Amino acid sequence: MRLSLAVLFSALIPFAAGAQESPITLRTEVRLTTVDVVVLDKKGVPVSGLTKEDFAVLENKQPQTIRNFEEHVGGPTVYDAPRPGVFTNATAARGGVSNVLLIDWLNTPPADQQFMRDQLVKFVMTQPAGTRTAIFSMGTKVTLLQDFTADPRVLQEALRTLGTKFSPLISKYTSPANQNMVAMETLYESASDPSIQAIIAGLMQVANDRNTRQSSVVTRNNALYTMQCLHDVAQYLTGVNGRKNLLWVSGSFPAFIQRDVQTTGNPFVGNESMDREMRATQNLLASGQIALYPIDPRGVPVPPSQLPDSDDITTSLAAQRRMTGSNSASPKNTDYYQSQFAEHAAMEELADATGGKAFFNTNDIAGAMHQAVDDGSRFYTLSYTPPSGVKPDQFRDIAVTVKGKGLHLAYRRGYYALKSTDGKPVALNTAKTSRAMQPMAPQSSEVLFQLEVSKPAVNVESAKVIGAPVFEALPHGMYQLNALVDFSTLQFSPDTDGKMHGVVDVATVIYDKNGKVLDSRSDRATLALDDARYQAMRKTGMRYHQVIALPDKGDGYVRVAVHDATTDKLGTVQISMANLRESGVKSKP
């Protein structure tokens, strides 16, 4: 259904009393490139007291003028809550950084999870007073366990309620040899005819190639799930201004898959690179001022050859080579070390690209997290106007230098210029929107907006009320959702008619307490704004109104999305029925 612009979007008529007190800070359209720089001395201690004149920034080797400069000295972060009755996906942070824990069940073996939980509890209970932290967990999807809070007891409780999670995608390096391979090796050893042994050895090689292909598919799915979860967390954190230190506690992350170079089989089987997906992940994190700190909770590793092995047949080097399809001097360890190298290399690449740091091979996980937070809390923020005429999707290298000797700098190393759009609006019903609209999923903040609840000012036809068909037989009330969208997070482009054009979708879903959809509606507005209306929206934001019906009793949620169909950027806000009813009762039509 297409919305009436006169009714749905209005830049001139305020939607509620006090609308001028919007907690959203409307930004200008001057796009700045922001770079957070951590400066450490030879001993790894953050360096303070530097000035703007001490720094130099180059983009693609061309000097840039630093427009804004700020030093952060590690003070507590203050989060400005919206006024009562206002719900938003924009978090106003002042005076520091936001620390986020991302607990990775997808890539962490169950055997390491208890130690990981103990270290996480130790970390949150020993943070400096006033440190606000949020906690996410990730499997094949992301869950917000605890929003930002400075209460260590609340964080501790969120961590203690976590049980052991089993991931079907984790490779178990220490598991016994494949039973089929063991059976074929037994046949090989029992055969006295060399020709029969050759046939069996050939079958073992075919089986190894097949197992490699299957393992490659599992590893690829694992990496894709991981990067999608990082995307979802980044979309949530986009609405939190300032630097975000994302402490990703994860056992592994392979972004490229390469077979053992000493394989006796097809060397090209199972090889795969996910450069495109890695590039998109790096760009989203870096552009959102999110510094990634991967932390391996598995501690100091022990290679398989040093672990107890009940399978006597694998003690023979010749047998190991046949069963693994490798000519390595230590087939048991070669795959292990190669996989670990690939995992750590990918995590270091993400950390380096976003200005963070990776921590491996340590049993002091809590200490590594404290070091990550300490390094990421004392830094300098530089911003400059990027050059014009940059080609879409082109990588732009960023180089920062500072006066002084023996200093180590950590900052994002570049960015990919945004792709140009083909002018065709993106459909709302995509996999991205489906994930973002799931109940209790982290709110997306690519498009910033706020909702304020009031009683409808006028009678509205039942057919136009979301939820009316579901609750008409029950005692219920009508509530008007008054939204204000940060216009700078939408994209409008000029056309030959002299107007600014854009396409915006609005979707609303009502869920019961178990996450079942009770009613939903989506609308698309194709906008052509003359200069007066366009300038008004730039100053005051874009407003729209929707009316929903809710039962007088009962639990559930209302989730609203605003989608820029031109850029496929999305923002979501979720409100519980109880909070919505309370806000509606207190408001006047």
Side-chain angles (χ1 to χ4, degrees):
M1 176 181 178
R2 183 159 296 179
L3 303 178
S4 168
L5 302 186
V7 175
L8 182 63
F9 291 106
S10 171
L12 303 177
I13 303 175
F15 63 79
Q20 300 302 320
E21 302 174 11
S22 167
I24 294 181
T25 300
L26 298 179
R27 301 185 291 247
T28 67
E29 292 198 356
V30 176
R31 301 293 182 178
L32 298 178
T33 297
T34 300
V35 184
D36 293 328
V37 184
V38 176
V39 183
L40 304 177
D41 64 16
K42 294 180 180 179
K43 297 181 180 180
V45 178
V47 177
S48 60
L50 298 175
T51 66
K52 175 181 176 180
E53 288 69 29
D54 292 321
F55 288 87
V57 180
L58 291 87
E59 181 171 311
N60 277 18
K61 299 182 180 180
Q62 298 300 314
Q64 304 297 317
T65 300
I66 300 175
R67 293 188 53 178
N68 299 319
F69 176 85
E70 183 179 2
E71 180 181 3
H72 304 268
V73 294
T77 303
V78 178
Y79 295 86
D80 296 329
R83 68 181 186 276
V86 173
F87 307 91
T88 179
N89 60 352
T91 301
R94 295 184 290 107
V97 301
S98 300
N99 298 315
V100 183
L101 293 178
L102 177 58
I103 305 171
D104 187 348
W105 304 122
L106 183 67
N107 300 298
T108 304
D112 298 310
Q113 292 180 18
Q114 181 59 55
F115 175 69
M116 178 179 70
R117 280 193 299 272
D118 292 342
Q119 290 288 302
L120 287 167
V121 170
K122 179 181 178 181
F123 167 71
V124 300
M125 296 303 292
T126 54
Q127 288 190 102
T131 303
R132 296 178 68 91
T133 304
I135 304 177
F136 292 85
S137 70
M138 59 171 276
T140 54
K141 64 179 181 179
V142 172
T143 302
L144 176 61
L145 299 178
Q146 176 59 53
D147 211 339
F148 289 102
T149 178
D151 190 339
R153 294 169 299 179
V154 173
L155 296 170
Q156 180 186 34
E157 184 61 26
L159 294 170
R160 289 198 183 280
T161 56
L162 298 174
T164 300
K165 311 292 183 180
F166 293 88
S167 169
L169 302 178
I170 292 179
S171 298
K172 299 178 177 60
Y173 300 109
T174 59
S175 62
N178 182 279
Q179 292 182 353
N180 291 336
M181 300 303 292
V182 173
M184 283 191 283
E185 176 60 27
T186 302
L187 289 174
Y188 180 94
E189 295 287 351
S190 62
S192 57
D193 188 336
S195 63
I196 294 178
Q197 286 185 328
I199 292 173
I200 296 173
L203 292 174
M204 294 176 74
Q205 188 56 66
V206 170
N208 271 316
D209 285 349
R210 180 200 62 197
N211 292 340
T212 299
R213 290 190 185 92
Q214 293 175 342
S215 177
S216 175
V217 170
V218 171
T219 303
R220 174 178 171 78
N221 289 338
N222 195 1
L224 292 177
Y225 275 127
T226 299
M227 286 186 278
Q228 184 57 62
C229 287
L230 290 174
H231 273 238
D232 291 345
V233 174
Q235 287 171 356
Y236 176 87
L237 295 177
T238 299
V240 182
N241 61 305
R243 179 184 174 99
K244 282 78 67 175
N245 294 326
L246 180 56
L247 279 62
W248 175 29
V249 188
S250 174
S252 65
F253 174 47
F256 62 91
I257 308 164
Q258 183 175 4
R259 195 170 190 184
D260 180 5
V261 294
Q262 300 185 66
T263 180
T264 57
N266 186 342
F268 302 105
V269 168
N271 293 342
E272 190 168 358
S273 175
M274 284 164 278
D275 288 340
R276 181 174 60 85
E277 292 85 354
M278 275 284 286
R279 182 176 67 184
T281 302
Q282 292 172 9
N283 210 36
L284 185 61
L285 292 169
S287 62
Q289 280 187 273
I290 302 171
L292 190 65
Y293 291 86
I295 301 172
D296 190 340
R298 294 175 295 183
V300 178
V302 179
S305 62
Q306 299 181 22
L307 296 173
D309 196 336
S310 60
D311 197 354
D312 293 336
I313 198 168
T314 61
T315 60
S316 165
L317 178 58
Q320 292 177 29
R321 286 178 169 178
R322 281 189 293 272
M323 288 192 292
T324 60
S326 173
N327 280 326
S328 169
S330 180
K332 279 187 174 183
N333 291 341
T334 298
D335 181 62
Y336 170 81
Y337 284 124
Q338 181 171 301
S339 298
Q340 188 175 73
F341 173 80
E343 294 164 358
H344 288 179
M347 297 172 90
E348 285 184 314
E349 180 181 342
L350 277 174
D352 189 59
T354 60
K357 179 182 178 181
F359 294 85
F360 308 120
N361 304 330
T362 176
N363 290 326
D364 186 10
I365 309 303
M369 289 189 283
H370 280 300
Q371 183 181 341
V373 169
D374 187 54
D375 290 352
S377 298
R378 290 182 280 179
F379 61 97
Y380 299 86
T381 297
L382 321 175
S383 61
Y384 64 92
T385 303
S388 58
V390 176
K391 294 180 180 180
D393 208 31
Q394 179 189 45
F395 181 76
R396 306 291 295 176
D397 176 76
I398 296 176
V400 179
T401 59
V402 65
K403 296 178 182 178
K405 295 183 179 180
L407 301 180
H408 172 75
L409 306 185
Y411 58 92
R412 65 164 167 149
R413 301 295 171 168
Y415 66 94
Y416 288 89
L418 295 176
K419 292 182 178 180
S420 60
T421 60
D422 58 7
K424 297 180 180 179
V426 179
L428 178 64
N429 57 338
T430 62
K432 173 183 178 178
T433 307
S434 178
R435 288 192 308 271
M437 289 301 287
Q438 294 299 312
M440 305 312 294
Q443 293 183 161
S444 295
S445 303
E446 294 176 314
V447 175
L448 299 179
F449 70 101
Q450 69 175 38
L451 292 173
E452 189 166 6
V453 186
S454 67
K455 289 292 184 181
V458 295
N459 292 329
V460 182
E461 296 178 25
S462 178
K464 296 181 179 180
V465 177
I466 306 171
V470 181
F471 306 121
E472 60 183 356
L474 301 173
H476 66 278
M478 300 289 187
Y479 303 86
Q480 181 167 296
L481 302 181
N482 308 297
L484 174 63
V485 183
D486 184 340
F487 195 70
S488 69
T489 60
L490 302 174
Q491 180 170 305
F492 280 71
S493 303
D495 207 340
T496 54
D497 60 0
K499 296 182 178 181
M500 300 296 289
H501 291 255
V503 181
V504 181
D505 297 308
V506 179
T508 303
V509 182
I510 302 176
Y511 295 95
D512 69 9
K513 63 179 181 181
N514 298 316
K516 177 183 177 182
V517 176
L518 299 178
D519 199 8
S520 64
R521 176 173 169 174
S522 63
D523 302 284
R524 167 162 289 187
T526 301
L527 306 175
L529 308 178
D530 58 29
D531 185 66
R533 182 172 285 270
Y534 177 73
Q535 296 300 332
M537 286 190 180
R538 285 185 58 194
K539 293 178 181 179
T540 64
M542 176 180 286
R543 306 177 189 278
Y544 73 86
H545 317 282
Q546 286 183 328
V547 178
I548 65 172
L550 292 179
D552 292 343
K553 296 182 179 179
D555 297 328
Y557 308 93
V558 176
R559 197 171 183 92
V560 179
V562 177
H563 175 242
D564 185 340
T566 303
T567 61
D568 197 28
K569 290 186 176 182
L570 185 76
T572 59
V573 170
Q574 180 167 299
I575 315 173
S576 70
M577 286 186 182
N579 287 340
L580 200 149
R581 282 191 292 257
E582 180 182 7
S583 299
V585 168
K586 292 181 178 180
S587 300
K588 296 181 179 180

